[in-house]
Amino acid sequence: MSFKKEFLWGAAAASYQIEGAWNQDGKGMSVWDHFVQKPGAVYQNHTGNTACNHYFNYKEDIKLMKEMGLQSYRFSISWPRVLPNGIGNVNQKGLDFYNNFTDELLKNDIIPFPTLFHWDYPYELYTKGGWLNRDSSDWFAEYTQVMVDALSDRVDRWFTLNEPQCFVGLGHGNGEHAPGLKLQKRDMTTIIHNVLLSHGKSVKTIRENSKLTPRVGMAPVCPVFIPINDEPKNIKAARDAMFSNKNGENFTAWTTSWFMDPVCLGKYPEDGLLEAEQYLPESYKEDLKIISQPVDFIGNNNYHGNFVQMGRDGEPELTKPEEGEPLTGFNWRVTPGSLYWGPKFLYERYKLPIIITENGLSNKDWVSLDGKVHDPQRIDFTHRYLKEYRRAAEEGIDIEGYFHWSIMDNFEWALGYRERFGLIHVDFSTQKRTIKDSGYWYKTVIQSNGENL
Ligand code: GCO
């Protein structure tokens, strides 16, 4: 079987990366609004203050999505735009924005697929300890409730958290992202636990209060490991590497199983507990019951993978990249197989449908003399990856959707506007949009439900 009939084709973006309007209409501050003010924190001190000005341009942007034939749009909601202090007072204008936005998508036959949290954490809550504070899960549940009350008569698909590994690891581990902390293992473990508990309470809140019957999941990053060939021992090596918690240096913040076993299997992985159990709260086993609320799918942000073989000692061994191998604008490896092996390993372990919530590349795109944006690399990259994703479907792996990252060029976190990931080009000095060649190509993929790949 190829892509199933109901397969969902879309594209994604996140509030802080595109909205701008950072201090408009009663919005509160997020940790990112704060972080970008620190000299040197972001490439050339870029900020998301204006970004794609999408808060004001959203109708034009939805028109372009329609022109590209998108079936669904994965966007995120800015928590402090809706609750300026993170909890308590609701900012009606912020809520109006997401209400109008949802209506506009529906009017254009585009299914709204919101993510509740894509990193712009309310600064006020950060001053109360942020994710380190055990109350953070109740704060997130309160915010979830506000959004469910507002949108669940029209929205029936939700992601709770985007890439917890990144906002924990980069935001609280090495300080490259907001809030810029460099914490040690004990605090990192506490944060992850609170983040997982937040997810669980959010799922519960969505299920108990939604007007439409909801489908809910998380969008983790899940670093992928690809066997160097199809020999069973190398496949085993890749699978072991993907779910291992033995990499002491990275600790648990970057592993797939430390996040997804609690969510999908109701337990922390044994090999991680060996070191981290001492840092977990006493109540952690009780908490796991909330953390493991049933989810309907696993989102997976998937850009590239590492090649692995089985070492002589029976441990997975990473292989060295080949000299001169293809790299994206970001210098990320081009590894189409990650869209086969990632979903396959996740599906085997968790037995839940998979949605690719992000995949794409940054490229050095500009507007040509003919007024168009020619980006053959993006077309070829996506084509190769989607063929591998289709292979997963053909082998019976339940895949439900694909969201290209990103709908438009945007603020790429610590790298500011240096990296262009969009299917739509944005001129940040004029805010002019141009659909790239890849955007038109993607339209043909959607129209044929991937049959033309
Ligand atoms: C992430 C985020 C996106 C990024 C994208 C490209 O994965 O870091 O979800 O916001 O912009 O992945 O790096």
Side-chain angles (χ1 to χ4, degrees):
M1 191 172 89
S2 186
F3 298 103
K4 57 184 168 190
K5 219 168 72 247
E6 320 74 47
F7 189 85
L8 211 53
W9 297 96
S15 46
Y16 187 73
Q17 296 182 272
I18 63 169
E19 283 181 2
W22 72 289
N23 59 0
Q24 306 275 319
D25 289 346
K27 176 181 165 294
M29 232 180 152
S30 78
V31 291
W32 270 95
D33 293 315
H34 200 259
F35 185 71
V36 296
Q37 293 177 2
K38 193 175 129 203
V42 175
Y43 172 74
Q44 292 189 355
N45 296 322
H46 293 169
T47 75
N49 292 358
T50 307
C52 307
N53 207 27
H54 171 77
Y55 183 76
F56 296 109
N57 274 342
Y58 75 93
K59 287 195 177 160
E60 185 200 338
D61 291 335
I62 292 176
K63 224 185 265 164
L64 296 175
M65 292 177 203
K66 170 94 175 164
E67 194 178 330
M68 283 166 44
L70 289 199
Q71 296 170 342
S72 181
Y73 176 52
R74 174 176 177 248
F75 61 103
S76 82
I77 295 162
S78 161
W79 181 352
R81 194 180 289 292
V82 174
L83 289 151
N85 299 317
I87 47 175
N89 214 14
V90 174
N91 175 32
Q92 191 54 45
K93 285 198 172 158
L95 212 50
D96 288 347
F97 172 71
Y98 294 108
N99 259 314
N100 297 336
F101 184 72
T102 301
D103 286 340
E104 191 69 19
L105 284 175
L106 290 170
K107 215 163 79 191
N108 285 280
D109 299 316
I110 299 169
I111 297 172
F113 212 145
T115 301
L116 286 163
F117 180 68
H118 197 134
W119 307 0
D120 38 2
Y121 194 77
Y123 188 75
E124 278 302 313
L125 295 182
Y126 170 66
T127 66
K128 295 186 165 69
W131 293 114
L132 261 177
N133 188 327
R134 189 171 162 90
D135 292 344
S136 54
S137 57
D138 292 324
W139 301 337
F140 191 59
E142 179 179 331
Y143 158 57
T144 302
Q145 175 86 52
V146 171
M147 292 320 303
V148 168
D149 288 348
L151 300 183
S152 70
D153 59 333
R154 285 153 292 154
V155 167
D156 61 358
R157 302 161 205 234
W158 303 83
F159 290 110
T160 54
L161 307 169
N162 179 72
E163 293 192 0
Q165 290 95 338
C166 289
F167 70 79
V168 176
L170 302 174
H172 301 79
N174 68 13
E176 278 175 26
H177 281 183
L181 300 180
K182 294 184 182 171
L183 303 176
Q184 301 302 311
K185 292 178 179 180
R186 175 177 299 278
D187 287 343
M188 293 290 276
T189 307
T190 305
I191 286 182
I192 296 172
H193 189 73
N194 289 337
V195 162
L196 291 172
L197 198 56
S198 304
H199 159 83
K201 289 190 184 174
S202 178
V203 173
K204 208 160 171 302
T205 306
I206 295 171
R207 290 219 195 279
E208 286 170 4
N209 297 282
S210 211
K211 291 169 198 125
L212 299 177
T213 307
R215 303 194 72 231
V216 195
M218 196 199 256
V221 60
C222 306
V224 178
F225 293 83
I226 304 172
I228 53 157
N229 56 33
D230 282 354
E231 274 184 53
K233 65 173 186 188
N234 293 326
I235 295 177
K236 177 174 182 323
R239 188 185 292 110
D240 289 355
M242 179 134 167
F243 297 107
S244 164
N245 286 276
K246 288 187 200 142
N247 46 349
E249 214 180 297
N250 279 331
F251 198 45
T252 49
W254 286 103
T255 68
T256 295
S257 55
W258 191 257
F259 286 84
M260 296 321 281
D261 281 14
V263 168
C264 303
L265 308 177
K267 55 182 188 201
Y268 278 111
E270 291 297 329
D271 60 351
L273 281 175
L274 290 178
E275 184 175 1
E277 188 168 26
Q278 57 182 316
Y279 307 131
L280 283 166
E282 261 173 45
S283 64
Y284 88 85
K285 288 190 179 145
E286 271 306 297
D287 294 343
L288 281 165
K289 294 185 190 144
I290 301 173
I291 293 172
S292 60
Q293 296 299 305
V295 286
D296 299 294
F297 41 71
I298 299 183
N300 177 210
N301 292 356
N302 183 324
Y303 292 88
H304 51 86
N306 302 293
F307 290 94
V308 178
Q309 63 189 5
M310 188 57 90
R312 289 222 177 93
D313 56 358
E315 291 291 329
E317 201 174 80
L318 288 184
T319 61
K320 247 178 59 193
E322 275 172 33
E323 289 171 9
E325 69 169 359
L327 297 173
T328 71
F330 222 137
N331 284 336
W332 290 354
R333 299 169 80 177
V334 180
T335 58
S338 61
L339 230 52
Y340 168 76
W341 292 101
K344 178 181 164 74
F345 288 150
L346 287 171
Y347 186 66
E348 275 175 6
R349 188 173 179 99
Y350 300 121
K351 303 181 176 53
L352 282 164
I354 307 295
I355 301 177
I356 293 298
T357 31
E358 291 179 21
N359 168 251
L361 81 163
S362 68
N363 194 40
K364 311 290 184 202
D365 305 316
W366 66 84
V367 182
S368 291
L369 283 173
D370 63 5
K372 298 185 176 157
V373 180
H374 304 296
D375 56 344
Q377 284 85 350
R378 184 168 287 100
I379 295 175
D380 189 66
F381 176 102
T382 312
H383 196 158
R384 287 173 190 270
Y385 275 67
L386 283 174
K387 276 161 86 92
E388 290 291 316
Y389 197 31
R390 181 173 60 193
R391 175 152 82 101
E394 284 163 357
E395 285 184 20
I397 293 157
D398 190 358
I399 59 171
E400 286 196 351
Y402 172 85
F403 289 84
H404 194 83
W405 184 273
S406 171
I407 183 65
M408 62 184 114
D409 295 339
N410 60 46
F411 177 81
E412 178 53 31
W413 307 115
L415 288 167
Y417 299 98
R418 201 190 77 180
E419 303 298 326
R420 293 183 177 272
F421 273 92
L423 294 165
I424 299 171
H425 180 273
V426 178
D427 177 331
F428 292 100
S429 58
T430 61
Q431 291 297 342
K432 183 173 168 13
R433 274 70 162 145
T434 310
I435 298 180
K436 301 180 189 177
D437 288 356
S438 59
Y440 291 111
W441 172 82
Y442 188 44
K443 180 176 187 167
T444 68
V445 176
I446 299 174
Q447 278 170 341
S448 71
N449 196 28
E451 288 301 319
N452 67 341
L453 291 167

